[in-house]
Amino acid sequence: MRWFYEKNASRKKVVINCGAGFDTTHWWSKSEELWKSGDLWFDLDMEPVVRQRIRRLRMPGAKSLLSPLKNLKITDNQLSSDNYFIRKLDMKQSDGSVKLLEDIKEEFEIDEQTDVCLVFECVLVYMATEISGRFLKAAADLFQNLKVISYEQV
């Protein structure tokens, strides 16, 4: 992840963390001062995980994580701010997964110059290869400057 940020330090970056669970890499990147204004981060996961994560972020101890976020809006199954988002995604539903990527690209006007990094941590291994292959192909077609980081069990 550090490599992605440092290699593309002068350009807008988008990180799409698929199967994010309770991952804290977004906050790590900010604490390491890798995160720049204008960068976007999406943590995506199954709806029950998203709901639990949002419940935890609403707890008093998490206030310091949320307070720097501008224009924060939280519902039971979604968090949105100017540059950080938590949304539901079922990776096993390839049509819905691809549609979400298309919606993100359109809504946030992600062009060919934007560096996009898809992150998978023990996600693809649980998917049928046809579905993961379709998803990765669609992502590569959507984002010209796509990088993929995958941590999978072997």
Tab-separated table of all heavy atoms in Angstrom, residues 76-119:
chain	number	residue	atom	x	y	z
A	76	ASP	N	-27.599	3.102	8.856
A	76	ASP	CA	-27.288	1.785	9.424
A	76	ASP	C	-26.372	0.958	8.526
A	76	ASP	O	-25.629	0.117	9.013
A	76	ASP	CB	-28.576	0.996	9.675
A	76	ASP	CG	-29.356	1.542	10.851
A	76	ASP	OD1	-28.763	2.277	11.674
A	76	ASP	OD2	-30.559	1.239	10.947
A	77	ASN	N	-26.434	1.183	7.210
A	77	ASN	CA	-25.641	0.348	6.313
A	77	ASN	C	-24.767	1.141	5.333
A	77	ASN	O	-24.385	0.628	4.288
A	77	ASN	CB	-26.531	-0.636	5.554
A	77	ASN	CG	-27.522	0.063	4.657
A	77	ASN	OD1	-27.585	1.285	4.623
A	77	ASN	ND2	-28.299	-0.708	3.927
A	78	GLN	N	-24.440	2.388	5.685
A	78	GLN	CA	-23.587	3.179	4.800
A	78	GLN	C	-22.990	4.366	5.558
A	78	GLN	O	-23.661	4.966	6.398
A	78	GLN	CB	-24.394	3.687	3.605
A	78	GLN	CG	-23.578	4.417	2.571
A	78	GLN	CD	-24.370	4.634	1.306
A	78	GLN	OE1	-24.792	3.674	0.675
A	78	GLN	NE2	-24.578	5.875	0.934
A	79	LEU	N	-21.750	4.672	5.251
A	79	LEU	CA	-21.096	5.867	5.780
A	79	LEU	C	-20.528	6.614	4.585
A	79	LEU	O	-19.907	6.011	3.705
A	79	LEU	CB	-19.975	5.480	6.749
A	79	LEU	CG	-19.166	6.614	7.373
A	79	LEU	CD1	-18.719	6.227	8.773
A	79	LEU	CD2	-17.961	7.002	6.537
A	80	SER	N	-20.743	7.921	4.556
A	80	SER	CA	-20.219	8.747	3.472
A	80	SER	C	-19.641	10.024	4.046
A	80	SER	O	-20.194	10.603	4.983
A	80	SER	CB	-21.325	9.124	2.471
A	80	SER	OG	-21.840	7.977	1.852
A	81	SER	N	-18.544	10.455	3.479
A	81	SER	CA	-17.970	11.756	3.787
A	81	SER	C	-17.414	12.308	2.477
A	81	SER	O	-17.680	11.744	1.414
A	81	SER	CB	-16.872	11.624	4.851
A	81	SER	OG	-15.726	11.003	4.310
A	82	ASP	N	-16.632	13.362	2.564
A	82	ASP	CA	-16.070	13.918	1.333
A	82	ASP	C	-15.113	12.953	0.633
A	82	ASP	O	-15.007	12.959	-0.584
A	82	ASP	CB	-15.334	15.232	1.614
A	82	ASP	CG	-16.300	16.378	1.847
A	82	ASP	OD1	-17.521	16.189	1.672
A	82	ASP	OD2	-15.827	17.472	2.211
A	83	ASN	N	-14.389	12.132	1.436
A	83	ASN	CA	-13.397	11.270	0.785
A	83	ASN	C	-13.271	9.859	1.370
A	83	ASN	O	-12.408	9.107	0.959
A	83	ASN	CB	-12.022	11.948	0.792
A	83	ASN	CG	-11.556	12.295	2.180
A	83	ASN	OD1	-12.123	11.843	3.166
A	83	ASN	ND2	-10.519	13.089	2.267
A	84	TYR	N	-14.117	9.516	2.324
A	84	TYR	CA	-14.090	8.161	2.887
A	84	TYR	C	-15.511	7.606	2.919
A	84	TYR	O	-16.450	8.300	3.314
A	84	TYR	CB	-13.511	8.173	4.306
A	84	TYR	CG	-13.520	6.809	4.951
A	84	TYR	CD1	-12.727	5.776	4.447
A	84	TYR	CD2	-14.333	6.540	6.045
A	84	TYR	CE1	-12.755	4.524	5.031
A	84	TYR	CE2	-14.353	5.288	6.641
A	84	TYR	CZ	-13.557	4.280	6.121
A	84	TYR	OH	-13.588	3.038	6.686
A	85	PHE	N	-15.632	6.326	2.500
A	85	PHE	CA	-16.951	5.725	2.336
A	85	PHE	C	-16.933	4.274	2.804
A	85	PHE	O	-15.955	3.564	2.572
A	85	PHE	CB	-17.369	5.755	0.855
A	85	PHE	CG	-17.264	7.122	0.253
A	85	PHE	CD1	-16.061	7.564	-0.265
A	85	PHE	CD2	-18.356	7.967	0.247
A	85	PHE	CE1	-15.947	8.848	-0.796
A	85	PHE	CE2	-18.252	9.241	-0.283
A	85	PHE	CZ	-17.045	9.681	-0.799
A	86	ILE	N	-18.003	3.855	3.434
A	86	ILE	CA	-18.226	2.443	3.737
A	86	ILE	C	-19.539	2.082	3.055
A	86	ILE	O	-20.567	2.725	3.299
A	86	ILE	CB	-18.322	2.179	5.253
A	86	ILE	CG1	-17.025	2.586	5.952
A	86	ILE	CG2	-18.629	0.709	5.509
A	86	ILE	CD1	-17.091	2.469	7.471
A	87	ARG	N	-19.485	1.082	2.209
A	87	ARG	CA	-20.678	0.664	1.474
A	87	ARG	C	-20.778	-0.847	1.451
A	87	ARG	O	-19.784	-1.551	1.569
A	87	ARG	CB	-20.635	1.193	0.035
A	87	ARG	CG	-20.719	2.699	-0.014
A	87	ARG	CD	-20.973	3.205	-1.390
A	87	ARG	NE	-21.125	4.652	-1.370
A	87	ARG	CZ	-21.093	5.392	-2.449
A	87	ARG	NH1	-20.920	4.865	-3.624
A	87	ARG	NH2	-21.252	6.695	-2.351
A	88	LYS	N	-21.997	-1.324	1.240
A	88	LYS	CA	-22.207	-2.773	1.191
A	88	LYS	C	-21.901	-3.292	-0.214
A	88	LYS	O	-22.130	-2.610	-1.225
A	88	LYS	CB	-23.628	-3.134	1.615
A	88	LYS	CG	-24.702	-2.548	0.750
A	88	LYS	CD	-26.073	-2.900	1.284
A	88	LYS	CE	-27.111	-2.254	0.372
A	88	LYS	NZ	-28.443	-2.644	0.673
A	89	LEU	N	-21.360	-4.515	-0.238
A	89	LEU	CA	-21.014	-5.168	-1.491
A	89	LEU	C	-20.982	-6.672	-1.255
A	89	LEU	O	-20.304	-7.142	-0.341
A	89	LEU	CB	-19.630	-4.707	-1.975
A	89	LEU	CG	-19.022	-5.488	-3.133
A	89	LEU	CD1	-19.783	-5.199	-4.427
A	89	LEU	CD2	-17.555	-5.136	-3.295
A	90	ASP	N	-21.699	-7.405	-2.068
A	90	ASP	CA	-21.644	-8.866	-2.033
A	90	ASP	C	-20.846	-9.304	-3.252
A	90	ASP	O	-21.339	-9.294	-4.372
A	90	ASP	CB	-23.058	-9.452	-2.055
A	90	ASP	CG	-23.062	-10.968	-1.938
A	90	ASP	OD1	-21.984	-11.595	-2.043
A	90	ASP	OD2	-24.151	-11.531	-1.737
A	91	MET	N	-19.583	-9.662	-3.024
A	91	MET	CA	-18.683	-10.021	-4.127
A	91	MET	C	-19.156	-11.236	-4.918
A	91	MET	O	-18.752	-11.423	-6.047
A	91	MET	CB	-17.276	-10.294	-3.580
A	91	MET	CG	-16.542	-9.085	-3.076
A	91	MET	SD	-16.064	-7.953	-4.391
A	91	MET	CE	-14.967	-8.972	-5.352
A	92	LYS	N	-19.997	-12.060	-4.328
A	92	LYS	CA	-20.482	-13.243	-5.039
A	92	LYS	C	-21.555	-12.894	-6.069
A	92	LYS	O	-21.910	-13.711	-6.902
A	92	LYS	CB	-20.988	-14.283	-4.053
A	92	LYS	CG	-19.856	-14.852	-3.215
A	92	LYS	CD	-20.355	-15.898	-2.263
A	92	LYS	CE	-19.190	-16.429	-1.451
A	92	LYS	NZ	-19.599	-17.415	-0.477
A	93	GLN	N	-22.071	-11.679	-6.004
A	93	GLN	CA	-23.058	-11.190	-6.974
A	93	GLN	C	-22.312	-10.326	-7.990
A	93	GLN	O	-22.242	-9.121	-7.851
A	93	GLN	CB	-24.149	-10.381	-6.271
A	93	GLN	CG	-24.863	-11.116	-5.155
A	93	GLN	CD	-25.629	-12.314	-5.669
A	93	GLN	OE1	-26.224	-12.283	-6.741
A	93	GLN	NE2	-25.599	-13.391	-4.919
A	94	SER	N	-21.751	-10.946	-9.013
A	94	SER	CA	-20.838	-10.214	-9.898
A	94	SER	C	-21.511	-9.038	-10.603
A	94	SER	O	-20.901	-7.982	-10.753
A	94	SER	CB	-20.186	-11.144	-10.915
A	94	SER	OG	-21.112	-11.611	-11.854
A	95	ASP	N	-22.773	-9.171	-11.009
A	95	ASP	CA	-23.440	-8.048	-11.674
A	95	ASP	C	-23.561	-6.845	-10.740
A	95	ASP	O	-23.287	-5.717	-11.125
A	95	ASP	CB	-24.824	-8.460	-12.189
A	95	ASP	CG	-24.743	-9.444	-13.350
A	95	ASP	OD1	-23.656	-9.542	-13.968
A	95	ASP	OD2	-25.750	-10.104	-13.629
A	96	GLY	N	-23.960	-7.093	-9.497
A	96	GLY	CA	-24.080	-6.016	-8.520
A	96	GLY	C	-22.727	-5.412	-8.162
A	96	GLY	O	-22.610	-4.203	-7.955
A	97	SER	N	-21.700	-6.240	-8.109
A	97	SER	CA	-20.353	-5.765	-7.788
A	97	SER	C	-19.824	-4.857	-8.888
A	97	SER	O	-19.273	-3.785	-8.622
A	97	SER	CB	-19.396	-6.939	-7.595
A	97	SER	OG	-19.824	-7.764	-6.545
A	98	VAL	N	-20.003	-5.279	-10.120
A	98	VAL	CA	-19.552	-4.473	-11.254
A	98	VAL	C	-20.357	-3.180	-11.324
A	98	VAL	O	-19.799	-2.099	-11.562
A	98	VAL	CB	-19.658	-5.273	-12.578
A	98	VAL	CG1	-19.407	-4.380	-13.784
A	98	VAL	CG2	-18.676	-6.445	-12.554
A	99	LYS	N	-21.645	-3.256	-11.068
A	99	LYS	CA	-22.496	-2.053	-11.073
A	99	LYS	C	-22.018	-1.053	-10.027
A	99	LYS	O	-21.978	0.155	-10.289
A	99	LYS	CB	-23.958	-2.456	-10.807
A	99	LYS	CG	-24.915	-1.296	-10.648
A	99	LYS	CD	-25.364	-0.756	-11.981
A	99	LYS	CE	-26.513	0.210	-11.852
A	99	LYS	NZ	-26.127	1.598	-11.698
A	100	LEU	N	-21.628	-1.533	-8.852
A	100	LEU	CA	-21.124	-0.628	-7.821
A	100	LEU	C	-19.846	0.073	-8.290
A	100	LEU	O	-19.689	1.278	-8.105
A	100	LEU	CB	-20.875	-1.369	-6.502
A	100	LEU	CG	-20.334	-0.514	-5.360
A	100	LEU	CD1	-21.267	0.651	-5.029
A	100	LEU	CD2	-20.103	-1.361	-4.126
A	101	LEU	N	-18.938	-0.654	-8.927
A	101	LEU	CA	-17.722	-0.019	-9.476
A	101	LEU	C	-18.081	1.028	-10.521
A	101	LEU	O	-17.507	2.123	-10.538
A	101	LEU	CB	-16.800	-1.066	-10.088
A	101	LEU	CG	-16.121	-2.045	-9.148
A	101	LEU	CD1	-15.211	-2.981	-9.932
A	101	LEU	CD2	-15.346	-1.330	-8.059
A	102	GLU	N	-19.029	0.705	-11.391
A	102	GLU	CA	-19.474	1.667	-12.413
A	102	GLU	C	-20.066	2.910	-11.763
A	102	GLU	O	-19.782	4.036	-12.189
A	102	GLU	CB	-20.502	1.014	-13.345
A	102	GLU	CG	-19.920	-0.059	-14.230
A	102	GLU	CD	-20.980	-0.885	-14.943
A	102	GLU	OE1	-22.177	-0.834	-14.562
A	102	GLU	OE2	-20.601	-1.612	-15.898
A	103	ASP	N	-20.881	2.706	-10.730
A	103	ASP	CA	-21.488	3.838	-10.018
A	103	ASP	C	-20.426	4.716	-9.352
A	103	ASP	O	-20.509	5.947	-9.397
A	103	ASP	CB	-22.486	3.349	-8.968
A	103	ASP	CG	-23.732	2.720	-9.576
A	103	ASP	OD1	-23.947	2.862	-10.801
A	103	ASP	OD2	-24.485	2.064	-8.817
A	104	ILE	N	-19.431	4.092	-8.731
A	104	ILE	CA	-18.347	4.846	-8.098
A	104	ILE	C	-17.602	5.659	-9.140
A	104	ILE	O	-17.329	6.848	-8.942
A	104	ILE	CB	-17.393	3.895	-7.335
A	104	ILE	CG1	-18.075	3.367	-6.072
A	104	ILE	CG2	-16.069	4.590	-7.004
A	104	ILE	CD1	-17.316	2.254	-5.362
A	105	LYS	N	-17.277	5.039	-10.268
A	105	LYS	CA	-16.541	5.745	-11.333
A	105	LYS	C	-17.327	6.961	-11.814
A	105	LYS	O	-16.769	8.056	-11.963
A	105	LYS	CB	-16.252	4.813	-12.502
A	105	LYS	CG	-15.491	5.507	-13.611
A	105	LYS	CD	-15.135	4.593	-14.748
A	105	LYS	CE	-14.357	5.385	-15.779
A	105	LYS	NZ	-13.869	4.581	-16.857
A	106	GLU	N	-18.623	6.777	-12.046
A	106	GLU	CA	-19.451	7.872	-12.554
A	106	GLU	C	-19.681	8.959	-11.495
A	106	GLU	O	-19.468	10.147	-11.752
A	106	GLU	CB	-20.798	7.328	-13.034
A	106	GLU	CG	-21.689	8.399	-13.627
A	106	GLU	CD	-23.022	7.832	-14.110
A	106	GLU	OE1	-23.047	6.690	-14.594
A	106	GLU	OE2	-24.021	8.555	-14.000
A	107	GLU	N	-20.085	8.549	-10.302
A	107	GLU	CA	-20.415	9.513	-9.250
A	107	GLU	C	-19.220	10.383	-8.864
A	107	GLU	O	-19.368	11.579	-8.609
A	107	GLU	CB	-20.933	8.787	-8.009
A	107	GLU	CG	-21.322	9.701	-6.877
A	107	GLU	CD	-21.858	8.953	-5.656
A	107	GLU	OE1	-22.167	7.745	-5.752
A	107	GLU	OE2	-21.957	9.599	-4.594
A	108	PHE	N	-18.035	9.795	-8.847
A	108	PHE	CA	-16.848	10.527	-8.390
A	108	PHE	C	-15.949	10.961	-9.543
A	108	PHE	O	-14.826	11.401	-9.321
A	108	PHE	CB	-16.092	9.692	-7.354
A	108	PHE	CG	-16.907	9.467	-6.126
A	108	PHE	CD1	-17.668	8.310	-5.985
A	108	PHE	CD2	-16.983	10.429	-5.130
A	108	PHE	CE1	-18.468	8.106	-4.876
A	108	PHE	CE2	-17.772	10.237	-4.016
A	108	PHE	CZ	-18.513	9.081	-3.889
A	109	GLU	N	-16.474	10.839	-10.748
A	109	GLU	CA	-15.787	11.310	-11.957
A	109	GLU	C	-14.338	10.844	-12.009
A	109	GLU	O	-13.399	11.621	-12.153
A	109	GLU	CB	-15.882	12.834	-12.055
A	109	GLU	CG	-17.319	13.308	-12.125
A	109	GLU	CD	-17.472	14.821	-12.087
A	109	GLU	OE1	-16.460	15.541	-11.929
A	109	GLU	OE2	-18.617	15.278	-12.217
A	110	ILE	N	-14.162	9.543	-11.899
A	110	ILE	CA	-12.825	8.946	-11.949
A	110	ILE	C	-12.446	8.784	-13.414
A	110	ILE	O	-13.077	8.034	-14.154
A	110	ILE	CB	-12.807	7.595	-11.207
A	110	ILE	CG1	-13.186	7.824	-9.737
A	110	ILE	CG2	-11.447	6.925	-11.338
A	110	ILE	CD1	-13.411	6.552	-8.944
A	111	ASP	N	-11.413	9.503	-13.818
A	111	ASP	CA	-11.007	9.476	-15.229
A	111	ASP	C	-9.795	8.565	-15.445
A	111	ASP	O	-9.318	7.911	-14.527
A	111	ASP	CB	-10.736	10.895	-15.735
A	111	ASP	CG	-9.598	11.575	-14.986
A	111	ASP	OD1	-8.756	10.881	-14.374
A	111	ASP	OD2	-9.550	12.812	-15.028
A	112	GLU	N	-9.281	8.554	-16.685
A	112	GLU	CA	-8.177	7.671	-17.052
A	112	GLU	C	-6.878	8.014	-16.333
A	112	GLU	O	-5.985	7.186	-16.223
A	112	GLU	CB	-7.922	7.724	-18.576
A	112	GLU	CG	-9.079	7.263	-19.421
A	112	GLU	CD	-10.149	8.332	-19.594
A	112	GLU	OE1	-9.817	9.530	-19.680
A	112	GLU	OE2	-11.338	7.968	-19.614
A	113	GLN	N	-6.747	9.235	-15.873
A	113	GLN	CA	-5.519	9.664	-15.190
A	113	GLN	C	-5.480	9.256	-13.720
A	113	GLN	O	-4.428	9.279	-13.098
A	113	GLN	CB	-5.371	11.189	-15.288
A	113	GLN	CG	-5.380	11.719	-16.711
A	113	GLN	CD	-4.314	11.072	-17.576
A	113	GLN	OE1	-3.175	10.986	-17.180
A	113	GLN	NE2	-4.712	10.589	-18.747
A	114	THR	N	-6.617	8.893	-13.181
A	114	THR	CA	-6.709	8.576	-11.756
A	114	THR	C	-6.155	7.186	-11.482
A	114	THR	O	-6.505	6.224	-12.155
A	114	THR	CB	-8.170	8.658	-11.277
A	114	THR	OG1	-8.695	9.946	-11.587
A	114	THR	CG2	-8.277	8.414	-9.788
A	115	ASP	N	-5.285	7.101	-10.492
A	115	ASP	CA	-4.738	5.812	-10.080
A	115	ASP	C	-5.723	5.140	-9.131
A	115	ASP	O	-6.137	5.727	-8.133
A	115	ASP	CB	-3.392	6.013	-9.384
A	115	ASP	CG	-2.345	6.516	-10.359
A	115	ASP	OD1	-2.017	5.757	-11.288
A	115	ASP	OD2	-1.881	7.648	-10.192
A	116	VAL	N	-6.110	3.908	-9.458
A	116	VAL	CA	-7.086	3.158	-8.676
A	116	VAL	C	-6.421	1.873	-8.188
A	116	VAL	O	-5.752	1.180	-8.953
A	116	VAL	CB	-8.335	2.815	-9.520
A	116	VAL	CG1	-9.318	1.967	-8.733
A	116	VAL	CG2	-9.001	4.084	-10.035
A	117	CYS	N	-6.605	1.578	-6.910
A	117	CYS	CA	-6.067	0.355	-6.325
A	117	CYS	C	-7.211	-0.449	-5.716
A	117	CYS	O	-7.918	0.043	-4.842
A	117	CYS	CB	-5.030	0.698	-5.255
A	117	CYS	SG	-4.248	-0.763	-4.533
A	118	LEU	N	-7.391	-1.664	-6.204
A	118	LEU	CA	-8.345	-2.604	-5.607
A	118	LEU	C	-7.588	-3.453	-4.603
A	118	LEU	O	-6.515	-3.977	-4.916
A	118	LEU	CB	-8.934	-3.528	-6.667
A	118	LEU	CG	-10.022	-3.002	-7.572
A	118	LEU	CD1	-10.430	-4.073	-8.575
A	118	LEU	CD2	-11.229	-2.557	-6.784
A	119	VAL	N	-8.121	-3.571	-3.397
A	119	VAL	CA	-7.489	-4.367	-2.346
A	119	VAL	C	-8.414	-5.526	-1.997
A	119	VAL	O	-9.612	-5.327	-1.773
A	119	VAL	CB	-7.210	-3.500	-1.087
A	119	VAL	CG1	-6.566	-4.345	0.004
A	119	VAL	CG2	-6.351	-2.301	-1.443
